[in-house]
Amino acid sequence: MSRATRWCPTPEQLIILQELYRGGLRTPKAPLIQKITAHLSLYGKIQGKNVFYWFQNHKARDRQKLRKILSKQLLFEQQEMNYIQTNHLVNPHLHSNPHPSGYHHQPQHGSATFICQGMTEDTSTGGYYVWKMGDDLLKGYEAENGLMTTSSCRHDCVMMEGPPSAIPSSSSNNRPLQTLDLFPTRTQLL
Amino acid sequence: MSRATRWCPTPEQLIILQELYRGGLRTPKAPLIQKITAHLSLYGKIQGKNVFYWFQNHKARDRQKLRKILSKQLLFEQQEMNYIQTNHLVNPHLHSNPHPSGYHHQPQHGSATFICQGMTEDTSTGGYYVWKMGDDLLKGYEAENGLMTTSSCRHDCVMMEGPPSAIPSSSSNNRPLQTLDLFPTRTQLL
DNA sequence: GCAAATTAATGATTTATTCAAG
DNA sequence: CTTGAATAAATCATTAATTTGC
């Protein structure tokens, strides 16, 4: 795949780009790119796409660098996350990822009812509703497709309050456990 | 004696939450929240509701942020550009230290078609763009005033603009050198 | 010293995610 | 649920640094 010789920034161009980057510019849009390009062309041959790619790459590699630093710092946490992933979050039957290049998705099926400080979420519909303590049932509304049945009121999973390490077993929950596919193990910054 | 102090995530907790979010988690269900909470409690006091609310807020603010950026970015960049043109792109120091080897100057002229993350840039024809998808080469023509109808193509991002008219390029570089004091230090929240 | 060989940086492309409009 | 638009992540490919054997 022979590409034409790639752009090699002159020191002047590089310094200007770095200044702009340091100044906070990260993702210039086309009009700005064109203007920058026009100015940089005073110092050497350059195209808009060079500017575009430069910012993309510089930003990405900045993140990458910081990510590497942080993941060293947070190695323990990373291992902990692996533990979570391996032993708690990942449904065994999802362990083989059929997608070739690491594609992962989050299955949204299954349902659970979550009560949190009066807020209840019914995940079978994707909606949620507010549940007032003391009242049987107050108000319901939904985010998606209007299938909420507020009458059912199955608050079978209650948490909160007290030391979080004391995890009430949700095995009594008759719904399938919500799981995630493989978590990416990278650290996210910003 | 008053309200309990609100949860303040430790850095470790925050990183892990961000990682999970980055990994695709948006609206964890009760069992998952329990497990996350249990593990995060290794790093500091935390309750399930904190996790629940964190995801709710983070998701909402992500959307909000994106909306704001999209609606303001154009204006923002125009301001940046004024600053760039005024203070930064002409740098006497750089001229006093020319690059030794033979970079040659190729000024840009005419209207420009810029395609980012797709393929190519055509700055000469002024009415034509081309991008590649897979092995096919697709072509199109720009609309009247420099806006084109991107007809298809899954992920290509096509942008363009009219002639880069308002560039006071001025090969006379007599401006005083400025640093980036006035440049906005944060232009993007991404 | 000096190239060939090897490795590190980085420009250029492709693929995957995300949000939200239709 | 599908799709467009934008962008981030991953990857490919080439140039620059550097190492290495002479």
Side-chain angles (χ1 to χ4, degrees):
Chain A
M1 244 198 267
S2 183
R3 287 158 210 181
T5 167
R6 72 186 197 181
W7 169 67
C8 185
T10 69
E12 297 90 342
Q13 290 172 337
L14 194 56
I15 287 175
I16 293 172
L17 288 169
Q18 287 168 338
E19 279 184 5
L20 292 171
Y21 188 88
R22 269 193 77 78
L25 190 58
R26 291 293 181 277
T27 311
K29 293 273 189 282
L32 183 53
I33 285 176
Q34 287 299 340
K35 287 161 185 152
I36 294 171
T37 302
H39 285 282
L40 289 184
S41 71
L42 293 172
Y43 306 106
K45 186 179 179 182
I46 192 174
Q47 290 181 298
K49 67 176 181 179
N50 304 131
V51 175
F52 173 80
Y53 288 142
W54 189 90
F55 277 97
Q56 290 282 309
N57 283 321
H58 203 71
K59 181 172 57 172
R61 281 160 184 156
D62 243 22
R63 265 196 296 261
Q64 207 172 30
K65 230 176 293 178
L66 291 171
R67 230 182 272 136
K68 194 169 292 182
I69 289 171
L70 264 188
S71 62
K72 279 181 185 173
Q73 174 188 349
L74 296 171
L75 181 58
F76 180 60
E77 286 82 353
Q78 291 287 118
Q79 291 168 343
E80 188 55 37
M81 275 320 299
N82 289 336
Y83 174 75
I84 291 175
Q85 293 170 213
T86 304
N87 299 330
H88 293 279
L89 300 185
V90 179
N91 195 329
H93 81 276
L94 294 173
H95 267 163
S96 67
N97 189 341
H99 201 84
S101 59
Y103 176 81
H104 63 279
H105 65 96
Q106 178 186 0
Q108 288 295 77
H109 40 62
S111 62
T113 301
F114 176 60
I115 302 177
C116 177
Q117 272 201 342
M119 297 200 65
T120 301
E121 179 186 33
D122 184 340
T123 60
S124 63
T125 65
Y128 61 97
Y129 61 97
V130 176
W131 178 74
K132 278 267 189 72
M133 306 284 210
D135 283 342
D136 287 331
L137 152 72
L138 250 196
K139 161 193 171 184
Y141 66 95
E142 37 198 303
E144 301 276 273
N145 31 355
L147 298 174
M148 169 84 71
T149 59
T150 51
S151 59
S152 62
C153 246
R154 326 171 2 155
H155 303 145
D156 45 10
C157 179
V158 183
M159 46 190 302
M160 308 305 101
E161 301 310 326
S165 51
I167 306 176
S169 168
S170 60
S171 58
S172 60
N173 194 328
N174 51 353
R175 305 301 185 83
L177 177 62
Q178 193 241 352
T179 61
L180 292 176
D181 268 357
L182 304 166
F183 272 115
T185 48
R186 44 188 138 77
T187 304
Q188 170 71 8
L189 293 178
L190 297 177
Chain B
M1 197 72 197
S2 49
R3 334 178 29 144
T5 153
R6 73 183 192 182
W7 171 65
C8 183
T10 70
E12 296 88 352
Q13 289 172 339
L14 193 56
I15 292 283
I16 292 173
L17 288 170
Q18 288 169 336
E19 220 172 293
L20 292 170
Y21 187 88
R22 170 72 195 91
L25 190 60
R26 291 293 181 279
T27 311
K29 281 76 182 175
L32 184 52
I33 286 179
Q34 290 173 344
K35 287 164 182 126
I36 293 171
T37 302
H39 286 280
L40 290 184
S41 71
L42 293 172
Y43 307 106
K45 187 177 179 185
I46 191 173
Q47 292 178 303
K49 66 178 180 181
N50 305 132
V51 175
F52 174 79
Y53 287 138
W54 188 91
F55 276 98
Q56 289 234 120
N57 287 324
H58 201 70
K59 184 171 59 173
R61 283 161 189 158
D62 246 19
R63 267 196 290 267
Q64 197 176 25
K65 190 166 56 180
L66 180 64
R67 238 176 280 128
K68 196 160 296 182
I69 286 173
L70 285 180
S71 65
K72 288 188 177 178
Q73 185 138 19
L74 189 64
L75 176 61
F76 219 13
E77 285 171 357
Q78 198 52 48
Q79 295 169 342
E80 286 171 10
M81 204 49 228
N82 291 337
Y83 180 75
I84 290 169
Q85 291 174 221
T86 305
N87 300 295
H88 287 294
L89 292 187
V90 181
N91 188 331
H93 279 7
L94 298 174
H95 266 222
S96 65
N97 187 17
H99 191 69
S101 64
Y103 290 100
H104 64 283
H105 168 136
Q106 176 185 318
Q108 285 197 304
H109 47 274
S111 63
T113 299
F114 179 58
I115 302 176
C116 69
Q117 281 215 328
M119 222 14 241
T120 57
E121 176 185 37
D122 184 340
T123 58
S124 57
T125 65
Y128 187 64
Y129 66 95
V130 51
W131 71 94
K132 191 177 73 170
M133 178 176 171
D135 290 327
D136 296 327
L137 205 59
L138 306 172
K139 299 178 179 183
Y141 291 90
E142 70 176 284
E144 176 68 16
N145 59 349
L147 289 178
M148 62 173 109
T149 59
T150 118
S151 61
S152 62
C153 267
R154 215 163 50 98
H155 289 129
D156 289 344
C157 162
V158 181
M159 290 185 283
M160 60 188 310
E161 66 157 359
S165 50
I167 303 174
S169 58
S170 76
S171 25
S172 63
N173 315 303
N174 303 333
R175 311 279 187 79
L177 172 62
Q178 301 267 323
T179 43
L180 292 167
D181 310 281
L182 299 176
F183 200 87
T185 27
R186 267 283 172 250
T187 60
Q188 305 255 345
L189 303 175
L190 301 174

